[in-house]
PDB file of all heavy atoms in Angstrom:
ATOM      1  N   GLY A  50      22.603  -7.657  18.136  1.00 84.00           N
ATOM      2  CA  GLY A  50      21.583  -8.512  17.537  1.00 84.00           C
ATOM      3  C   GLY A  50      20.472  -7.700  16.890  1.00 84.00           C
ATOM      4  O   GLY A  50      20.708  -6.660  16.277  1.00 84.00           O
ATOM      5  N   LEU A  51      19.228  -8.187  16.994  1.00 83.00           N
ATOM      6  CA  LEU A  51      18.033  -7.505  16.479  1.00 83.00           C
ATOM      7  C   LEU A  51      18.119  -7.227  14.979  1.00 83.00           C
ATOM      8  O   LEU A  51      17.670  -6.194  14.500  1.00 83.00           O
ATOM      9  CB  LEU A  51      17.794  -6.195  17.236  1.00 83.00           C
ATOM     10  CG  LEU A  51      17.584  -6.297  18.750  1.00 83.00           C
ATOM     11  CD1 LEU A  51      17.410  -4.914  19.351  1.00 83.00           C
ATOM     12  CD2 LEU A  51      16.398  -7.169  19.084  1.00 83.00           C
ATOM     13  N   SER A  52      18.671  -8.154  14.218  1.00 84.00           N
ATOM     14  CA  SER A  52      18.840  -7.940  12.782  1.00 84.00           C
ATOM     15  C   SER A  52      17.506  -7.737  12.074  1.00 84.00           C
ATOM     16  O   SER A  52      17.393  -6.893  11.168  1.00 84.00           O
ATOM     17  CB  SER A  52      19.598  -9.108  12.152  1.00 84.00           C
ATOM     18  OG  SER A  52      18.913 -10.338  12.372  1.00 84.00           O
ATOM     19  N   GLU A  53      16.481  -8.493  12.461  1.00 86.00           N
ATOM     20  CA  GLU A  53      15.176  -8.342  11.832  1.00 86.00           C
ATOM     21  C   GLU A  53      14.566  -6.982  12.146  1.00 86.00           C
ATOM     22  O   GLU A  53      13.919  -6.365  11.293  1.00 86.00           O
ATOM     23  CB  GLU A  53      14.238  -9.459  12.302  1.00 86.00           C
ATOM     24  CG  GLU A  53      14.609 -10.848  11.821  1.00 86.00           C
ATOM     25  CD  GLU A  53      14.485 -10.974  10.311  1.00 86.00           C
ATOM     26  OE1 GLU A  53      13.460 -10.527   9.762  1.00 86.00           O
ATOM     27  OE2 GLU A  53      15.414 -11.502   9.683  1.00 86.00           O
ATOM     28  N   ILE A  54      14.762  -6.493  13.368  1.00 86.00           N
ATOM     29  CA  ILE A  54      14.220  -5.187  13.761  1.00 86.00           C
ATOM     30  C   ILE A  54      14.905  -4.087  12.966  1.00 86.00           C
ATOM     31  O   ILE A  54      14.260  -3.142  12.485  1.00 86.00           O
ATOM     32  CB  ILE A  54      14.429  -4.952  15.277  1.00 86.00           C
ATOM     33  CG1 ILE A  54      13.875  -6.127  16.086  1.00 86.00           C
ATOM     34  CG2 ILE A  54      13.787  -3.639  15.690  1.00 86.00           C
ATOM     35  CD1 ILE A  54      12.422  -6.410  15.909  1.00 86.00           C
ATOM     36  N   LYS A  55      16.211  -4.207  12.804  1.00 84.00           N
ATOM     37  CA  LYS A  55      16.961  -3.207  12.046  1.00 84.00           C
ATOM     38  C   LYS A  55      16.511  -3.181  10.587  1.00 84.00           C
ATOM     39  O   LYS A  55      16.396  -2.115   9.979  1.00 84.00           O
ATOM     40  CB  LYS A  55      18.457  -3.497  12.158  1.00 84.00           C
ATOM     41  CG  LYS A  55      19.001  -3.305  13.568  1.00 84.00           C
ATOM     42  CD  LYS A  55      20.435  -3.784  13.703  1.00 84.00           C
ATOM     43  CE  LYS A  55      20.925  -3.660  15.134  1.00 84.00           C
ATOM     44  NZ  LYS A  55      22.296  -4.189  15.322  1.00 84.00           N
ATOM     45  N   SER A  56      16.253  -4.356  10.022  1.00 86.00           N
ATOM     46  CA  SER A  56      15.773  -4.428   8.640  1.00 86.00           C
ATOM     47  C   SER A  56      14.401  -3.789   8.512  1.00 86.00           C
ATOM     48  O   SER A  56      14.109  -3.109   7.521  1.00 86.00           O
ATOM     49  CB  SER A  56      15.716  -5.885   8.174  1.00 86.00           C
ATOM     50  OG  SER A  56      17.001  -6.450   8.111  1.00 86.00           O
ATOM     51  N   PHE A  57      13.549  -3.976   9.521  1.00 86.00           N
ATOM     52  CA  PHE A  57      12.222  -3.374   9.503  1.00 86.00           C
ATOM     53  C   PHE A  57      12.321  -1.849   9.496  1.00 86.00           C
ATOM     54  O   PHE A  57      11.615  -1.173   8.737  1.00 86.00           O
ATOM     55  CB  PHE A  57      11.415  -3.836  10.719  1.00 86.00           C
ATOM     56  CG  PHE A  57      10.221  -2.965  11.006  1.00 86.00           C
ATOM     57  CD1 PHE A  57       9.099  -3.022  10.206  1.00 86.00           C
ATOM     58  CD2 PHE A  57      10.246  -2.064  12.063  1.00 86.00           C
ATOM     59  CE1 PHE A  57       8.005  -2.199  10.454  1.00 86.00           C
ATOM     60  CE2 PHE A  57       9.167  -1.242  12.317  1.00 86.00           C
ATOM     61  CZ  PHE A  57       8.041  -1.304  11.514  1.00 86.00           C
ATOM     62  N   ILE A  58      13.180  -1.288  10.331  1.00 85.00           N
ATOM     63  CA  ILE A  58      13.324   0.162  10.387  1.00 85.00           C
ATOM     64  C   ILE A  58      13.830   0.689   9.043  1.00 85.00           C
ATOM     65  O   ILE A  58      13.418   1.758   8.572  1.00 85.00           O
ATOM     66  CB  ILE A  58      14.266   0.563  11.543  1.00 85.00           C
ATOM     67  CG1 ILE A  58      13.582   0.259  12.884  1.00 85.00           C
ATOM     68  CG2 ILE A  58      14.653   2.038  11.466  1.00 85.00           C
ATOM     69  CD1 ILE A  58      14.414   0.581  14.101  1.00 85.00           C
ATOM     70  N   GLU A  59      14.690  -0.068   8.408  1.00 83.00           N
ATOM     71  CA  GLU A  59      15.165   0.316   7.075  1.00 83.00           C
ATOM     72  C   GLU A  59      14.013   0.311   6.070  1.00 83.00           C
ATOM     73  O   GLU A  59      13.915   1.201   5.212  1.00 83.00           O
ATOM     74  CB  GLU A  59      16.266  -0.650   6.632  1.00 83.00           C
ATOM     75  CG  GLU A  59      17.040  -0.189   5.417  1.00 83.00           C
ATOM     76  CD  GLU A  59      18.243  -1.069   5.138  1.00 83.00           C
ATOM     77  OE1 GLU A  59      18.647  -1.832   6.035  1.00 83.00           O
ATOM     78  OE2 GLU A  59      18.764  -0.988   4.015  1.00 83.00           O
ATOM     79  N   GLU A  60      13.136  -0.676   6.169  1.00 86.00           N
ATOM     80  CA  GLU A  60      11.956  -0.740   5.301  1.00 86.00           C
ATOM     81  C   GLU A  60      11.075   0.487   5.492  1.00 86.00           C
ATOM     82  O   GLU A  60      10.607   1.092   4.516  1.00 86.00           O
ATOM     83  CB  GLU A  60      11.131  -1.986   5.623  1.00 86.00           C
ATOM     84  CG  GLU A  60      11.730  -3.288   5.176  1.00 86.00           C
ATOM     85  CD  GLU A  60      10.871  -4.455   5.648  1.00 86.00           C
ATOM     86  OE1 GLU A  60       9.678  -4.231   5.941  1.00 86.00           O
ATOM     87  OE2 GLU A  60      11.398  -5.571   5.745  1.00 86.00           O
ATOM     88  N   ILE A  61      10.801   0.819   6.760  1.00 86.00           N
ATOM     89  CA  ILE A  61       9.931   1.956   7.058  1.00 86.00           C
ATOM     90  C   ILE A  61      10.526   3.240   6.494  1.00 86.00           C
ATOM     91  O   ILE A  61       9.834   4.067   5.887  1.00 86.00           O
ATOM     92  CB  ILE A  61       9.717   2.088   8.581  1.00 86.00           C
ATOM     93  CG1 ILE A  61       8.822   0.949   9.084  1.00 86.00           C
ATOM     94  CG2 ILE A  61       9.085   3.430   8.926  1.00 86.00           C
ATOM     95  CD1 ILE A  61       7.385   1.009   8.600  1.00 86.00           C
ATOM     96  N   TYR A  62      11.836   3.415   6.687  1.00 83.00           N
ATOM     97  CA  TYR A  62      12.492   4.608   6.161  1.00 83.00           C
ATOM     98  C   TYR A  62      12.357   4.667   4.645  1.00 83.00           C
ATOM     99  O   TYR A  62      12.021   5.720   4.066  1.00 83.00           O
ATOM    100  CB  TYR A  62      13.965   4.627   6.561  1.00 83.00           C
ATOM    101  CG  TYR A  62      14.726   5.728   5.850  1.00 83.00           C
ATOM    102  CD1 TYR A  62      14.679   7.030   6.315  1.00 83.00           C
ATOM    103  CD2 TYR A  62      15.448   5.450   4.686  1.00 83.00           C
ATOM    104  CE1 TYR A  62      15.344   8.047   5.645  1.00 83.00           C
ATOM    105  CE2 TYR A  62      16.117   6.465   4.019  1.00 83.00           C
ATOM    106  CZ  TYR A  62      16.067   7.759   4.498  1.00 83.00           C
ATOM    107  OH  TYR A  62      16.718   8.754   3.832  1.00 83.00           O
ATOM    108  N   ALA A  63      12.635   3.553   3.980  1.00 85.00           N
ATOM    109  CA  ALA A  63      12.567   3.515   2.513  1.00 85.00           C
ATOM    110  C   ALA A  63      11.166   3.856   2.024  1.00 85.00           C
ATOM    111  O   ALA A  63      10.992   4.623   1.068  1.00 85.00           O
ATOM    112  CB  ALA A  63      12.988   2.133   2.011  1.00 85.00           C
ATOM    113  N   TRP A  64      10.149   3.292   2.679  1.00 86.00           N
ATOM    114  CA  TRP A  64       8.763   3.554   2.282  1.00 86.00           C
ATOM    115  C   TRP A  64       8.416   5.034   2.441  1.00 86.00           C
ATOM    116  O   TRP A  64       7.799   5.639   1.552  1.00 86.00           O
ATOM    117  CB  TRP A  64       7.819   2.684   3.123  1.00 86.00           C
ATOM    118  CG  TRP A  64       6.384   3.076   2.981  1.00 86.00           C
ATOM    119  CD1 TRP A  64       5.593   2.965   1.884  1.00 86.00           C
ATOM    120  CD2 TRP A  64       5.572   3.677   3.995  1.00 86.00           C
ATOM    121  NE1 TRP A  64       4.330   3.455   2.142  1.00 86.00           N
ATOM    122  CE2 TRP A  64       4.297   3.892   3.429  1.00 86.00           C
ATOM    123  CE3 TRP A  64       5.800   4.038   5.318  1.00 86.00           C
ATOM    124  CZ2 TRP A  64       3.261   4.475   4.159  1.00 86.00           C
ATOM    125  CZ3 TRP A  64       4.763   4.600   6.050  1.00 86.00           C
ATOM    126  CH2 TRP A  64       3.513   4.823   5.460  1.00 86.00           C
ATOM    127  N   LEU A  65       8.824   5.638   3.552  1.00 85.00           N
ATOM    128  CA  LEU A  65       8.535   7.051   3.782  1.00 85.00           C
ATOM    129  C   LEU A  65       9.274   7.937   2.779  1.00 85.00           C
ATOM    130  O   LEU A  65       8.719   8.905   2.255  1.00 85.00           O
ATOM    131  CB  LEU A  65       8.934   7.436   5.214  1.00 85.00           C
ATOM    132  CG  LEU A  65       8.097   6.821   6.335  1.00 85.00           C
ATOM    133  CD1 LEU A  65       8.732   7.119   7.691  1.00 85.00           C
ATOM    134  CD2 LEU A  65       6.676   7.343   6.299  1.00 85.00           C
ATOM    135  N   GLU A  66      10.531   7.602   2.499  1.00 84.00           N
ATOM    136  CA  GLU A  66      11.336   8.404   1.573  1.00 84.00           C
ATOM    137  C   GLU A  66      10.779   8.325   0.160  1.00 84.00           C
ATOM    138  O   GLU A  66      10.655   9.342  -0.529  1.00 84.00           O
ATOM    139  CB  GLU A  66      12.788   7.913   1.617  1.00 84.00           C
ATOM    140  CG  GLU A  66      13.757   8.746   0.800  1.00 84.00           C
ATOM    141  CD  GLU A  66      13.962  10.141   1.360  1.00 84.00           C
ATOM    142  OE1 GLU A  66      13.599  10.392   2.530  1.00 84.00           O
ATOM    143  OE2 GLU A  66      14.483  10.997   0.608  1.00 84.00           O
ATOM    144  N   VAL A  67      10.425   7.124  -0.270  1.00 88.00           N
ATOM    145  CA  VAL A  67       9.865   6.963  -1.612  1.00 88.00           C
ATOM    146  C   VAL A  67       8.501   7.639  -1.691  1.00 88.00           C
ATOM    147  O   VAL A  67       8.135   8.207  -2.731  1.00 88.00           O
ATOM    148  CB  VAL A  67       9.771   5.473  -1.986  1.00 88.00           C
ATOM    149  CG1 VAL A  67       8.992   5.286  -3.284  1.00 88.00           C
ATOM    150  CG2 VAL A  67      11.160   4.880  -2.130  1.00 88.00           C
ATOM    151  N   GLY A  68       7.738   7.604  -0.603  1.00 86.00           N
ATOM    152  CA  GLY A  68       6.448   8.288  -0.579  1.00 86.00           C
ATOM    153  C   GLY A  68       6.591   9.775  -0.850  1.00 86.00           C
ATOM    154  O   GLY A  68       5.796  10.372  -1.596  1.00 86.00           O
ATOM    155  N   LYS A  69       7.619  10.391  -0.278  1.00 84.00           N
ATOM    156  CA  LYS A  69       7.873  11.813  -0.533  1.00 84.00           C
ATOM    157  C   LYS A  69       8.161  12.052  -2.016  1.00 84.00           C
ATOM    158  O   LYS A  69       7.639  12.991  -2.629  1.00 84.00           O
ATOM    159  CB  LYS A  69       9.086  12.278   0.286  1.00 84.00           C
ATOM    160  CG  LYS A  69       8.840  12.432   1.773  1.00 84.00           C
ATOM    161  CD  LYS A  69      10.107  12.948   2.430  1.00 84.00           C
ATOM    162  CE  LYS A  69       9.946  13.129   3.928  1.00 84.00           C
ATOM    163  NZ  LYS A  69      11.195  13.634   4.556  1.00 84.00           N
ATOM    164  N   LYS A  70       8.979  11.204  -2.589  1.00 88.00           N
ATOM    165  CA  LYS A  70       9.364  11.361  -3.990  1.00 88.00           C
ATOM    166  C   LYS A  70       8.165  11.120  -4.911  1.00 88.00           C
ATOM    167  O   LYS A  70       8.017  11.775  -5.943  1.00 88.00           O
ATOM    168  CB  LYS A  70      10.522  10.418  -4.326  1.00 88.00           C
ATOM    169  CG  LYS A  70      11.804  10.731  -3.554  1.00 88.00           C
ATOM    170  CD  LYS A  70      12.930   9.807  -3.946  1.00 88.00           C
ATOM    171  CE  LYS A  70      14.185  10.069  -3.096  1.00 88.00           C
ATOM    172  NZ  LYS A  70      14.722  11.417  -3.249  1.00 88.00           N
ATOM    173  N   ARG A  71       7.302  10.178  -4.547  1.00 89.00           N
ATOM    174  CA  ARG A  71       6.105   9.925  -5.351  1.00 89.00           C
ATOM    175  C   ARG A  71       5.179  11.137  -5.333  1.00 89.00           C
ATOM    176  O   ARG A  71       4.608  11.512  -6.364  1.00 89.00           O
ATOM    177  CB  ARG A  71       5.379   8.674  -4.836  1.00 89.00           C
ATOM    178  CG  ARG A  71       6.047   7.363  -5.210  1.00 89.00           C
ATOM    179  CD  ARG A  71       5.292   6.177  -4.625  1.00 89.00           C
ATOM    180  NE  ARG A  71       3.927   6.121  -5.100  1.00 89.00           N
ATOM    181  CZ  ARG A  71       3.538   5.503  -6.218  1.00 89.00           C
ATOM    182  NH1 ARG A  71       4.440   4.899  -6.977  1.00 89.00           N
ATOM    183  NH2 ARG A  71       2.274   5.489  -6.568  1.00 89.00           N
ATOM    184  N   ARG A  72       5.019  11.741  -4.159  1.00 87.00           N
ATOM    185  CA  ARG A  72       4.178  12.941  -4.084  1.00 87.00           C
ATOM    186  C   ARG A  72       4.757  14.062  -4.944  1.00 87.00           C
ATOM    187  O   ARG A  72       4.026  14.767  -5.645  1.00 87.00           O
ATOM    188  CB  ARG A  72       4.029  13.394  -2.633  1.00 87.00           C
ATOM    189  CG  ARG A  72       3.096  12.538  -1.794  1.00 87.00           C
ATOM    190  CD  ARG A  72       2.764  13.191  -0.464  1.00 87.00           C
ATOM    191  NE  ARG A  72       3.945  13.306   0.391  1.00 87.00           N
ATOM    192  CZ  ARG A  72       4.355  12.356   1.209  1.00 87.00           C
ATOM    193  NH1 ARG A  72       3.705  11.202   1.276  1.00 87.00           N
ATOM    194  NH2 ARG A  72       5.424  12.541   1.967  1.00 87.00           N
ATOM    195  N   ASN A  73       6.064  14.244  -4.879  1.00 88.00           N
ATOM    196  CA  ASN A  73       6.701  15.276  -5.689  1.00 88.00           C
ATOM    197  C   ASN A  73       6.552  15.011  -7.178  1.00 88.00           C
ATOM    198  O   ASN A  73       6.557  15.936  -7.990  1.00 88.00           O
ATOM    199  CB  ASN A  73       8.184  15.377  -5.331  1.00 88.00           C
ATOM    200  CG  ASN A  73       8.399  15.929  -3.934  1.00 88.00           C
ATOM    201  OD1 ASN A  73       7.528  16.602  -3.377  1.00 88.00           O
ATOM    202  ND2 ASN A  73       9.555  15.632  -3.355  1.00 88.00           N
ATOM    203  N   ALA A  74       6.423  13.734  -7.531  1.00 88.00           N
ATOM    204  CA  ALA A  74       6.259  13.350  -8.934  1.00 88.00           C
ATOM    205  C   ALA A  74       4.791  13.316  -9.348  1.00 88.00           C
ATOM    206  O   ALA A  74       4.468  12.950 -10.478  1.00 88.00           O
ATOM    207  CB  ALA A  74       6.904  11.985  -9.184  1.00 88.00           C
ATOM    208  N   GLY A  75       3.890  13.698  -8.423  1.00 86.00           N
ATOM    209  CA  GLY A  75       2.463  13.717  -8.737  1.00 86.00           C
ATOM    210  C   GLY A  75       1.816  12.354  -8.707  1.00 86.00           C
ATOM    211  O   GLY A  75       0.723  12.172  -9.262  1.00 86.00           O
ATOM    212  N   LEU A  76       2.460  11.389  -8.047  1.00 89.00           N
ATOM    213  CA  LEU A  76       1.905  10.046  -7.965  1.00 89.00           C
ATOM    214  C   LEU A  76       1.151   9.844  -6.647  1.00 89.00           C
ATOM    215  O   LEU A  76       1.393  10.537  -5.662  1.00 89.00           O
ATOM    216  CB  LEU A  76       3.034   9.009  -8.061  1.00 89.00           C
ATOM    217  CG  LEU A  76       3.813   8.995  -9.379  1.00 89.00           C
ATOM    218  CD1 LEU A  76       5.022   8.089  -9.269  1.00 89.00           C
ATOM    219  CD2 LEU A  76       2.911   8.554 -10.525  1.00 89.00           C
TER     220      LEU A  76
END
């Protein structure tokens, strides 16, 4: 179960990963 929790963890990962790429792009 815990489908909503799993989706949340995916969101957090995506936000952190994109944050790294934004910093590398000077954003």
Side-chain angles (χ1 to χ4, degrees):
L51 301 178
S52 58
E53 292 295 314
I54 307 301
K55 293 172 183 177
S56 295
F57 163 74
I58 291 179
E59 193 172 344
E60 287 176 21
I61 289 292
Y62 171 81
W64 169 67
L65 292 171
E66 186 68 16
V67 171
K69 287 182 180 180
K70 296 182 184 299
R71 285 178 60 88
R72 285 192 294 273
N73 292 338
L76 297 171

